[in-house]
Structures are given as C-alpha cells and as structure tokens.
Amino acid sequence: MNMTGQSERKGIFFDVDDTLYDHLAPFRDALQAIVQPRESFPYEKAYHRMRYYSDRLSEELGGAGTAAYGDAVEDMRTRRFQLALAEFGIQLTREEADAVQRAYLGRQYEITMFDGARELLQALKDAGHLVGLITNGPADHQMNKITAMKLGDLIPQERIFVSGSVGWDKPDARIFHHVNERTGTVPEHCYYIGDSWRNDVVGALAAGWHVIWFNHRGVEPESEHEPHHVATSYEELRRMLSGLLGS
C-alpha cells in the first residue's frame, strides 16, 4: 500500500474492543463455560446488550477515569451480565454473574486480531502515518489486551490513549481533543476507526474528526449522525484508506 506524498501527516487512530479483535469470542466462550445456554442462544444479540449496559453503567459512574468507577467497577461488570442476560430469560445470581465475568476477563487476554488488522497497521506505519489507539476502560485492563495482541512493535506507548488514564471516556470529545494536543495533530487530518456507534461514531464526529464506522456486524445506526465512511471488513478498510490517504 503506497500512502506517501501527503502534504500533511495524517493521524489514523483505532478503537480496540471489537475493532482490532473479535470481542464476541470471549463473551461467547465465557457463557458456554459457565451458563451453558441452549444451542440456539442468540450470542450476538446478547453481546450487544451487554455492551449497552456496560456503557450505560460506566457513564452513570462518571467514566473509567473517576474514583467512583474504580470503587464500583467490579459490581458494574457483574451487573451488566445480569441485566443483559435477563432480557433473554437467564436470571443470574451474583455468584453466577461473578463467575461469568471472571471467565470473560480471562479469555480477553487470549485474543487474536481480525484477519488483515496487523497488516494494515504495519502498512500505515510504513507509509509514515501517525498510527495510534483510543480505547475506553481501566488502563491496566486495556493494556493487557494490547500486550496480548503484541502491538508494542507497531504503536508506541505515547500514541496509546486509554480513558482510565486520560480521564475522559468516549464519546466525550475531550478525549479526542487531548489526543490532538498530545500528538500535534489537527482534527481535519485525523481519522478514527471504531465499531461502537455511540462511543466511536458520535464521539469522533463531535470532535471534528473523519470517522470510519467499522460495522463488521451489520448493525443499524442508533441516531441521525452520519459517519464519513463505513467498512465491514479489513480488506474493505484497507482499500478505503488507500484511496483516502493517497495511493
């Protein structure tokens, strides 16, 4: 991929969960290990509801960078499973939800990237673009995932922004403004790629960034916001970025 010849250096930032790797896999594995739902259980729908409750409960606590979040994060992680699975007729006790959470957490460190993701990051880096990550969550937890994917050779620490360290969670536009300040970039030359409509699309648009919605699950938009581009696979994303950044 030839992406050189740009008059302005571009910033290309990625979300982590369900953008660089399949976040559904550890969720499904944890439920199968602990809950053992029926064969026809709709894992993907339940996963989306778990993500919904995770975001909602985190927002109620003020985000990953707050003291309240740190004090209540374990309870929040348990409650999101109880609330999500209750919608599908599965009532979890606190002990059962704790067991699911522990299984889910452990499997998040046994992850592999989507096909083509590492190659795209390498191509962007080789082309001289500024490549980084912006992700929500506690710093240690998210960094463990990043380490599991062996991204240290592709993305330097100073371009990894975790809400638990920064102090603002997506979709708060301030986290994107912070990234611009720390990396010397400007919104009009930055692209953000993420799967979450609320956190990634809405947040990056509010910050004035170019937004590529990585809608690999084929879900419907949740509001009237309009991402600049939509990609459903890394092959499509590679071709799209090649055209946008110059080939």
Side-chain angles (χ1 to χ4, degrees), residues 138-199:
D140 290 346
H141 181 50
Q142 294 304 98
M143 288 305 302
N144 283 338
K145 299 176 191 177
I146 292 165
T147 299
M149 289 184 281
K150 298 180 174 61
L151 290 177
D153 58 333
L154 290 175
I155 302 175
Q157 182 65 40
E158 63 269 20
R159 294 183 198 156
I160 298 174
F161 298 90
V162 183
S163 69
S165 294
V166 174
W168 302 293
D169 282 28
K170 300 175 297 181
D172 193 325
R174 287 177 293 180
I175 192 170
F176 295 95
H177 297 324
H178 174 79
V179 171
N180 286 140
E181 292 173 2
R182 292 294 299 271
T183 60
T185 55
V186 293
E188 55 265 34
H189 293 302
C190 284
Y191 293 79
Y192 191 62
I193 298 137
D195 72 292
S196 169
W197 183 268
R198 177 181 178 275
N199 290 338

Side-chain angles (χ1 to χ4, degrees), residues 224-246:
E224 297 301 315
H225 295 80
E226 294 186 5
H228 297 90
H229 307 279
V230 180
T232 59
S233 69
Y234 266 88
E235 175 58 26
E236 185 177 5
L237 182 58
R238 184 196 65 80
R239 294 194 303 269
M240 183 179 294
L241 285 171
S242 182
L244 291 170
L245 301 175

Side-chain angles (χ1 to χ4, degrees), residues 99-115:
V100 173
Q101 168 58 28
R102 289 194 300 272
Y104 178 61
L105 183 64
R107 285 160 174 79
Q108 286 188 63
Y109 305 146
E110 302 169 0
I111 53 180
T112 56
M113 299 176 71
F114 282 121
D115 288 344

Side-chain angles (χ1 to χ4, degrees), residues 3-204:
M3 298 181 182
T4 59
Q6 300 297 305
S7 60
E8 296 285 349
R9 194 181 192 197
K10 303 296 192 297
I12 319 296
F13 290 84
F14 291 77
D15 174 45
V16 172
D17 297 324
D18 221 36
T19 296
L20 291 180
Y21 75 98
D22 185 356
H23 204 201
L24 174 60
F27 174 82
R28 181 181 56 244
D29 291 349
L31 290 190
Q32 289 176 346
I34 306 301
V35 181
Q36 299 178 346
R38 64 187 186 279
E39 186 174 344
S40 60
F41 184 78
Y43 289 98
E44 191 160 333
K45 289 182 179 179
Y47 163 77
H48 281 296
R49 296 307 292 165
M50 187 274 290
R51 288 282 300 269
Y52 165 78
Y53 283 115
S54 184
D55 289 343
R56 196 190 80 179
L57 294 171
S58 178
E59 184 177 28
E60 289 175 1
L61 292 172
T66 64
Y69 185 95
D71 294 339
V73 63
E74 293 306 323
D75 180 66
M76 180 274 286
R77 288 173 170 172
T78 299
R79 287 179 61 205
R80 65 184 179 180
F81 279 105
Q82 290 177 306
L83 292 168
L85 293 182
E87 296 185 8
F88 299 88
I90 298 176
Q91 304 295 330
L92 296 180
T93 66
R94 176 59 186 259
E95 291 73 21
E96 289 169 337
D98 282 341
V100 173
Q101 168 58 28
R102 289 194 300 272
Y104 178 61
L105 183 64
R107 285 160 174 79
Q108 286 188 63
Y109 305 146
E110 302 169 0
I111 53 180
T112 56
M113 299 176 71
F114 282 121
D115 288 344
R118 179 175 295 277
E119 292 80 3
L120 177 58
L121 293 175
Q122 185 69 61
L124 292 167
K125 177 185 175 183
D126 291 346
H129 298 300
L130 190 152
V131 183
L133 306 176
I134 308 173
T135 180
N136 279 0
D140 290 346
H141 181 50
Q142 294 304 98
M143 288 305 302
N144 283 338
K145 299 176 191 177
I146 292 165
T147 299
M149 289 184 281
K150 298 180 174 61
L151 290 177
D153 58 333
L154 290 175
I155 302 175
Q157 182 65 40
E158 63 269 20
R159 294 183 198 156
I160 298 174
F161 298 90
V162 183
S163 69
S165 294
V166 174
W168 302 293
D169 282 28
K170 300 175 297 181
D172 193 325
R174 287 177 293 180
I175 192 170
F176 295 95
H177 297 324
H178 174 79
V179 171
N180 286 140
E181 292 173 2
R182 292 294 299 271
T183 60
T185 55
V186 293
E188 55 265 34
H189 293 302
C190 284
Y191 293 79
Y192 191 62
I193 298 137
D195 72 292
S196 169
W197 183 268
R198 177 181 178 275
N199 290 338
D200 302 330
V201 174
V202 175

